[in-house]
Amino acid sequence: MKIIRADAMGMCFGVRDALALTEELEAPEGVTIHGELVHNEVVLGRLRERGFRMASEDDRDRLPDSEAVLITAHGISERERARLVEAGKRLVDTTCPLVERVHAAAQGLQDDGFHVIVIGQLGHVEVRGIVEDLESWEVVGGPDDVTPLPYDRLGVICQSTVPESEARVVFAAIERENPTAELRYVDTVCKPTKERQAALESLLPNIDTLVVVGGHNSNNTRKLVRRGTEAGLRTWHVQDAAELEASWFEGSERVGLTAGTSTLQETIDAVDRALRAIAAEKSSAR
Ligand code: SF4
């Protein structure tokens, strides 16, 4: 059994930089992380151990008790920012610059008179940050969500982690359902996401089994898993090496390895080592 790693995978610079900033913070017990900094239980556990307080993503309406509030890489709306500042909170901002680009694109479309359509997951923390500042908007998760809309100008953007192939299908559905509307598309899928998806696409024809490492609640990890399943591969989603089972790889010859953007390098390497151990065991049993 051969293990083939994707050329690009794992933690993106946006999440890495946000984590690096937490390392520099003194007195973490005085800081509330406003939502999940990363959708990764190992990392969240370490932050808790260091003393950071955490507001769950569903509980962000409640004002944190701490003096400082850390904005995650997913960003927040200007409205939310103003609410926190008016309440006297000191903001530690780790918003990814590529998320800021999505906000700017949405605002630009609105300023130009477009009804804004966000291709992404309704309720996702990044998407909430984008739409909370808009007057006229909707979120579509897939082509089945697309309907004829009563607007002459439709501006389309994507959550930064939407696969480009998915965005193309949804955009085609918007065009089809709104044939007379003026459409403008701004590509806001981030570069690390594109690189990871391209790396997975080139891996798919060369493997019979795929292992995806990442949090079970990580949206982009789930999309990698779905792509593997759609491609007809035996696909396994694990959070860490301990979840791997040797019996999953009966008959597997070429196993691809990829990971979501919130996965630590050490977790990927541990899964890689565990897969190689399973491969060695299989070959010695022959
Ligand atoms: S996935 Fe992209 S947009 Fe999101 S934090 Fe990472 S680099 Fe930034």
Side-chain angles (χ1 to χ4, degrees):
M1 183 173 105
K2 191 170 178 200
I3 316 301
I4 310 171
R5 293 170 69 112
D7 287 341
M9 64 171 143
M11 199 165 275
C12 60
F13 81 91
V15 173
R16 241 191 351 254
D17 288 357
L19 280 175
L21 208 140
T22 64
E23 296 294 329
E24 292 166 13
L25 285 178
E26 287 166 11
E29 57 286 347
V31 182
T32 302
I33 299 178
H34 204 43
E36 288 191 11
L37 187 63
V38 282
H39 295 129
N40 179 318
E41 277 310 317
V42 177
V43 178
L44 293 178
R46 287 180 191 167
L47 291 168
R48 267 187 218 105
E49 270 168 30
R50 284 190 54 213
F52 283 101
R53 306 184 207 184
M54 304 219 181
S56 78
E57 282 173 359
D58 297 334
D59 195 28
R60 294 200 320 177
D61 291 345
R62 205 169 51 81
L63 216 46
D65 300 330
S66 62
E67 170 265 333
V69 179
L70 187 140
I71 311 304
T72 69
H74 304 101
I76 55 170
S77 63
E78 288 306 315
R79 278 177 207 204
E80 178 65 350
R81 191 177 296 271
R83 182 179 81 102
L84 294 168
V85 170
E86 276 161 24
K89 303 298 172 190
R90 178 170 60 84
L91 302 189
V92 180
D93 195 352
T94 73
T95 306
C96 174
L98 300 186
V99 172
E100 285 173 354
R101 208 168 59 93
V102 189
H103 283 245
Q107 287 302 316
L109 288 169
Q110 174 164 279
D111 293 348
D112 289 346
F114 287 87
H115 172 75
V116 180
I117 302 176
V118 183
I119 302 175
Q121 190 189 333
L122 184 66
H124 185 281
V125 63
E126 178 190 325
V127 174
R128 272 170 54 190
I130 296 160
V131 300
E132 272 173 14
D133 286 332
L134 299 174
E135 306 297 332
S136 175
W137 58 271
E138 58 205 86
V139 178
V140 291
D144 296 344
D145 298 339
V146 177
T147 55
L149 294 165
Y151 304 98
D152 297 334
R153 311 185 87 195
L154 299 174
V156 184
I157 57 168
C158 298
Q159 183 180 339
S160 61
T161 51
V162 167
E164 284 181 292
S165 53
E166 232 176 86
R168 273 195 296 276
V169 172
V170 178
F171 187 76
I174 296 169
E175 262 183 322
R176 202 171 46 244
E177 295 292 332
N178 298 275
T180 60
E182 177 191 346
L183 290 182
R184 188 186 289 174
Y185 177 68
V186 186
D187 178 2
T188 55
V189 178
C190 77
K191 190 158 171 262
T193 292
K194 287 179 181 174
E195 287 169 351
R196 280 151 184 73
Q197 284 160 2
L200 176 60
E201 287 306 320
S202 51
L203 193 62
L204 292 176
N206 303 315
I207 56 177
D208 52 53
T209 305
L210 178 66
V211 174
V212 183
V213 193
H216 287 302
N217 58 347
S218 156
N219 188 42
N220 73 82
T221 302
R222 285 200 300 253
K223 285 191 187 294
L224 294 171
V225 173
R226 194 163 78 206
R227 184 65 193 105
T229 310
E230 276 168 7
L233 299 176
R234 215 185 305 173
T235 303
W236 303 103
H237 177 184
V238 293
Q239 291 206 130
D240 54 38
E243 289 183 1
L244 282 175
E245 289 181 30
S247 61
W248 294 349
F249 302 95
E250 288 302 325
S252 296
E253 295 293 335
R254 300 170 73 83
V255 178
L257 176 61
T258 188
T261 53
S262 48
T263 312
L264 291 168
Q265 190 58 47
E266 65 191 59
T267 309
I268 299 171
D269 292 342
V271 170
D272 190 339
R273 281 195 303 276
L275 284 171
R276 285 174 204 282
I278 291 169
E281 220 170 89
K282 279 178 61 168
S283 78
S284 67
R286 274 183 184 162

